[in-house]
Amino acid sequence: MRVLLTGGAGFIGQHVLARLIARGHEVRVLDALRADVHRGRPFVPPPGVAFLHGDVRDPDAVDAAVRGMDAVLHLAAKVGLGVDVGDLPDYAASNDAGTAVLLAAMARASIPRLTLASSMVVYGEGIGLCPEHGAVTPGPRREEALASGDFEPPCPKCGRRLGTALVGETAPLDPRNAYASSKVAQEFYASNWARATGGSAALLRYHNVYGPGMPRDTPYAGVAAIFTSTLRRGEAPQVFEDGAQRRDFVHVRDVASATVLACETHAEGVKAFNVGSGTPRTVGEMARALATSLDGPAPVVTGRYRLGDVRHITADSSRLRMELGWRPAVAFDDGMAELARA
Ligand code: UD1
């Protein structure tokens, strides 16, 4: 296929690009090389890949980028969590408006297929299991509770401690920060476009992506990159809360294979797919795996917390396996050891 990859110079984008090339697709990359991500570094596309330096918010750049394409993979976005309400305009412009401009251009050029990079953050605090009330949506955690070391969000009905559950794609959307809201908006715009044009959209809700090329020492650095940098300085990783918060750390090459597979195979209607390894880990476990690989000091559990962090987010990624036949290939210990070496 001839495919346009937006955000192809980014961390996940470069791995998706490599996968597209390996699968024999003809690729054009559109990337704005945002200063807050790329810090002035140039992007040199691999041989045979056309690179357009442009912004998805610019209709002329996007019209030129989509011309002659069979499909679009839309990864260009402002990532991170958003520090405060002052970040809302940039998320709305970069992610919401950028997607709207892209979709309008796709409609003008009659491009029928979209694969969108979304995120597990669309589920907010996800689902908890109450011994009395069953599956419930945990409420936001109160600062006084966090300050007193009480990190588990309680049942919103009776206040009891909740068990954890895997979040499926039909769980309610509950975006709790600027980034999450912009991902929900992108999904909704994509659905609007698909209904209006008869196009297909695969909405890939990525879990915590890690691997070679992860941004480090920037506001976009995920916890695995932060711990790796800390260990390289010979210091102990600082684990927030009590270290028992759960995530699904999924390797970036597995995310790339899922993304390309969805682009190749999902050709009808709108469907969301969780993209996780299927094996949740605690942040404490992840810190220990990296400390072991780097032969560094043992992690320190600090009890500190970030307001706005969710406690557990763990996906049920079985739809991607069952319906598209995706299989993650990188085991957690191998992936963490590779990250440590990178
Ligand atoms: C991450 C992504 C987000 C994505 C989401 C999908 C980043 C920066 N954020 O959010 O874009 O949509 O996954 O699931 O990649 N922590 C520590 N010590 C630290 C830093 C963090 O213990 O020094 C803890 C945090 O408190 C949190 C966990 O690590 O409990 C994960 O944090 P982080 O890597 O920022 O990712 P998410 O918030 O899960």
Side-chain angles (χ1 to χ4, degrees):
M1 277 195 287
R2 287 162 301 174
V3 299
L4 172 67
L5 172 62
T6 74
F11 162 48
I12 301 175
Q14 292 206 33
H15 288 272
V16 171
L17 176 57
R19 180 76 182 174
L20 285 167
I21 296 168
R23 297 279 302 156
H25 298 293
E26 196 183 307
V27 193
R28 185 182 288 162
V29 168
L30 175 69
D31 200 303
L33 303 180
R34 290 178 68 106
D36 54 355
V37 179
H38 294 273
R39 305 198 161 166
R41 284 187 302 270
F43 170 65
V44 181
V49 171
F51 172 50
L52 300 178
H53 183 191
D55 196 304
V56 283
R57 287 169 285 188
D58 172 357
D60 294 335
V62 174
D63 275 332
V66 297
R67 198 167 298 133
M69 297 289 111
D70 300 309
V72 173
L73 296 98
H74 182 33
L75 273 68
K78 176 179 166 72
V79 298
L81 286 182
V83 178
D84 58 33
V85 177
D87 289 328
L88 281 169
D90 194 16
Y91 280 100
S94 304
N95 300 359
D96 303 31
T99 303
V101 171
L102 175 67
L103 293 168
M106 286 174 68
R108 281 192 293 276
S110 303
I111 294 165
R113 215 179 256 222
L114 172 73
T115 308
L116 175 74
S118 184
S119 167
M120 287 295 296
V121 289
V122 299
Y123 300 118
E125 201 65 66
I127 301 282
L129 288 181
C130 172
E132 190 181 339
H133 298 101
V136 293
T137 306
R141 298 187 291 169
R142 290 179 307 113
E143 183 158 16
E144 311 85 84
L146 296 171
S148 68
D150 182 7
F151 300 116
E152 291 295 336
C155 172
K157 294 182 179 148
C158 65
R160 279 203 187 80
R161 192 186 168 106
L162 298 172
T164 49
L166 297 181
V167 185
E169 287 86 352
T170 53
L173 302 184
D174 184 11
R176 294 190 177 185
N177 57 50
Y179 173 67
S181 302
S182 73
K183 285 286 146 188
V184 170
Q186 288 185 311
E187 290 197 3
F188 284 158
Y189 288 133
S191 304
N192 299 157
W193 161 86
R195 259 193 306 279
T197 63
S200 66
L203 315 173
L204 298 183
R205 295 177 179 159
Y206 297 154
H207 228 297
N208 291 57
V209 186
Y210 74 98
M214 265 187 105
R216 289 173 199 278
D217 307 317
T218 78
Y220 301 122
V223 64
I226 294 172
F227 288 172
T228 310
S229 301
T230 311
L231 283 158
R232 289 233 169 85
R233 292 194 301 269
E235 295 163 19
Q238 304 288 301
V239 178
F240 295 159
E241 306 186 14
D242 56 2
Q245 60 273 44
R246 285 149 48 99
R247 296 289 190 276
D248 183 327
F249 296 98
V250 61
H251 195 276
V252 66
R253 283 195 300 276
D254 288 332
V255 168
S257 74
T259 305
V260 173
L261 182 64
C263 171
E264 290 170 343
T265 55
H266 178 76
E268 214 169 300
V270 179
K271 198 168 253 187
F273 297 94
N274 292 338
V275 185
S277 72
T279 313
R281 307 278 171 169
T282 67
V283 172
E285 256 180 279
M286 199 271 291
R288 282 193 294 279
L290 281 173
T292 305
S293 294
L294 280 159
D295 209 8
V300 175
V301 176
T302 62
R304 291 210 310 273
Y305 53 87
R306 298 188 302 202
L307 276 180
D309 262 348
V310 298
R311 176 65 174 168
H312 308 289
I313 343 175
T314 49
D316 176 354
S317 302
S318 55
R319 176 182 279 180
L320 192 59
R321 291 157 198 255
M322 311 265 280
E323 296 188 17
L324 302 189
W326 174 74
R327 293 283 173 278
V330 184
F332 177 77
D333 290 327
D334 297 342
M336 287 297 161
E338 181 198 24
L339 181 67
R341 281 194 309 272

